[in-house]
Amino acid sequence: MTSVELEAVVCDKPDESELNDDNGGKNVVYQLVDHKSSERRWLSERFLRWRRRYLPVDGDNRRDHGSVKQSGPLVSGAAYCISSCSMIILNKIVLSSYNFNAGISLMLYQNLISCLVVAVLDISGMVSVEKFNWKLIRVWMPVNVIFVGMLVSGMYSLKYINVAMVTILKNATNIITAIGEVYMFRKRQNNKVWAAMFMMIISAISGGITDLTFNAVGYSWQLANCFLTASYSLTLRRVMDKAKQSTKSGSLNEVSMVLLNNLLSLPFGIILIILLGEWRYVRSTDVTKDAMFWVVATASGFLGLAISFTSMWFLHQTGPTTYSLVGSLNKVPISLAGLVLFNVPLSLPNLFSILFGLFAGVVFARAKMS
């Protein structure tokens, strides 16, 4: 007899014979209750035995779950590093190897892919996206303007500068951000941080002087990118609490921020393409008729979104300290891959400057931890 059937019997309306025989009726109910209790105990014991067997929580069985937990940071870290490295390399191929002179259009295409993928994942229930409103959009607009400028300047700097020097010059972003934290958030930096930043400045200056492929336009774009990236980080930190208050749930997860940033960047990108006349170039260039160009450009769009998800995954599996250190160490394979794949002319002093800059980045990450 199931619990549902038992409840139906106990709650059923008694007939006249049961009303006339109170003791007999009570005995029937007591027997049913006793049967119910014994059945519950039996089911409970069966469930506990099943749980100990198939859902181990202690003893030797815990090793099975421990192996999964131990592999989590390794797999997520590898996914983050591979997607980050591949994204930069593919963007360099699109902009330099294909000689594509429309960085804003590339940004627009990549962001459109990100929006579509996140929308599909949201509809399928694989991710949760916050519902947007005009109040949230108004709060987020300054962040998005800087975000668009950061992406565009990054595209153009990568077109004119080799990957290794872009990686080293990006260290200037850490310097600007650290100074901004002092003035905006009254955050004090320790002596190790200032020493690491001095090393970054030395490596950037020496790297620029010894760069055999020096391009003033590219360096100007990269300098602008450093200021915009630091501004994005600082502005995002300032408006985050206000943005969360603008949502119905009072929160704003990383997936929602990815969609919000990429979605709001689309009209800005279209306006810039029209104002700068980039659409004429996209229509007339023969590069857009090459199928492999679209394969590489589309792959770079998917990788841009992959960086967002893998970075969140890796950060969740480890923590800010490990995430920051691995991000600094990841610059090493990116720089070496950029030097090898694109046959960059290299002098010994320039190579030393690049290696010194990579070392300075690791020192900075370690100093921020202390």
Side-chain angles (χ1 to χ4, degrees):
M1 181 181 290
T2 65
S3 59
V4 176
E5 291 171 339
L6 181 63
E7 184 178 358
V9 170
V10 173
C11 297
D12 192 20
K13 184 177 179 180
D15 56 20
E16 293 180 356
S17 61
E18 291 176 339
L19 288 173
N20 294 331
D21 188 2
D22 293 337
N23 293 329
K26 289 179 181 178
N27 290 332
V28 172
V29 174
Y30 288 153
Q31 289 175 2
L32 291 173
V33 170
D34 289 340
H35 183 72
K36 179 180 178 181
S37 299
S38 62
E39 186 181 61
R40 282 180 176 175
R41 283 195 300 270
W42 179 77
L43 288 173
S44 197
E45 290 172 359
R46 287 288 300 272
F47 172 74
L48 288 173
R49 285 198 297 269
W50 177 84
R51 189 181 69 172
R52 281 193 294 267
R53 183 176 180 182
Y54 297 102
L55 298 176
V57 292
D58 52 11
D60 295 336
N61 293 328
R62 185 177 290 175
R63 295 195 198 104
D64 298 334
H65 295 274
S67 61
V68 176
K69 291 180 179 179
Q70 289 173 1
S71 63
L74 181 63
V75 175
S76 59
Y80 165 66
C81 292
I82 292 172
S83 59
S84 177
C85 183
S86 302
M87 172 69 174
I88 294 176
I89 298 300
L90 285 182
N91 277 344
K92 182 66 176 176
I93 291 174
V94 171
L95 296 168
S96 296
S97 299
Y98 283 99
N99 197 27
F100 188 63
N101 296 316
I104 302 174
S105 299
L106 180 60
M107 177 211 71
L108 180 69
Y109 182 63
Q110 291 176 345
N111 291 1
L112 179 62
I113 291 175
S114 297
C115 290
L116 293 175
V117 173
V118 173
V120 171
L121 293 176
D122 180 41
I123 293 171
S124 63
M126 297 180 66
V127 297
S128 177
V129 177
E130 188 70 33
K131 291 184 178 180
F132 302 146
N133 54 63
W134 287 110
K135 184 180 180 182
L136 175 62
I137 292 173
R138 285 195 298 269
V139 171
W140 201 262
M141 195 62 70
V143 177
N144 192 254
V145 171
I146 301 173
F147 174 75
V148 172
M150 178 183 72
L151 293 183
V152 172
S153 59
M155 290 287 187
Y156 282 110
S157 67
L158 193 60
K159 176 176 175 58
Y160 295 106
I161 310 176
N162 67 73
V163 174
M165 281 309 303
V166 167
T167 304
I168 299 306
L169 294 173
K170 278 182 177 293
N171 285 336
T173 302
N174 297 327
I175 301 172
I176 300 168
T177 304
I179 295 173
E181 287 176 342
V182 173
Y183 287 97
M184 293 178 64
F185 303 104
R186 299 293 184 266
K187 182 179 180 180
R188 294 184 179 182
Q189 310 292 349
N190 59 50
N191 293 331
K192 293 180 181 179
V193 172
W194 293 114
M197 287 193 290
F198 180 74
M199 294 169 62
M200 290 178 179
I201 294 172
I202 296 298
S203 66
I205 294 174
S206 61
I209 293 173
T210 58
D211 187 5
L212 298 179
T213 59
F214 178 85
N215 187 294
V217 175
Y219 273 71
S220 299
W221 278 114
Q222 185 54 51
L223 183 62
N225 178 257
C226 291
F227 276 101
L228 288 167
T229 304
S231 300
Y232 175 75
S233 176
L234 296 169
T235 306
L236 182 64
R237 204 176 307 176
R238 170 163 283 186
V239 306
M240 182 57 69
D241 291 336
K242 193 174 181 181
K244 289 180 179 179
Q245 294 172 2
S246 302
T247 62
K248 292 182 179 179
S249 65
S251 63
L252 190 66
N253 58 35
E254 289 84 354
V255 179
S256 299
M257 284 191 286
V258 170
L259 180 60
L260 183 61
N261 259 333
N262 287 286
L263 194 62
L264 292 180
S265 69
L266 298 182
F268 284 114
I270 293 172
I271 292 171
L272 289 173
I273 290 171
I274 294 173
L275 290 178
L276 299 178
E278 199 173 273
W279 62 275
R280 295 189 186 91
Y281 167 80
V282 174
R283 282 186 58 187
S284 60
T285 184
D286 294 331
V287 177
T288 54
K289 299 180 179 68
D290 189 343
M292 276 306 300
F293 167 80
W294 287 108
V295 171
V296 176
T298 303
S300 67
F302 279 103
L303 282 171
L305 185 62
I307 292 175
S308 301
F309 283 111
T310 54
S311 61
M312 288 186 290
W313 180 25
F314 183 48
L315 185 61
H316 177 72
Q317 289 285 335
T318 55
T321 300
T322 306
Y323 176 80
S324 177
L325 183 59
V326 171
S328 298
L329 292 172
N330 192 38
K331 293 179 180 179
V332 178
I334 292 175
S335 300
L336 295 177
L339 292 174
V340 173
L341 292 175
F342 299 100
N343 296 321
V344 178
L346 196 65
S347 64
L348 188 61
N350 187 242
L351 177 62
F352 177 77
S353 299
I354 292 171
L355 295 176
F356 185 71
L358 295 172
F359 174 73
V362 175
V363 172
F364 178 82
R366 292 295 300 272
K368 291 286 284 184
M369 297 174 196
S370 59

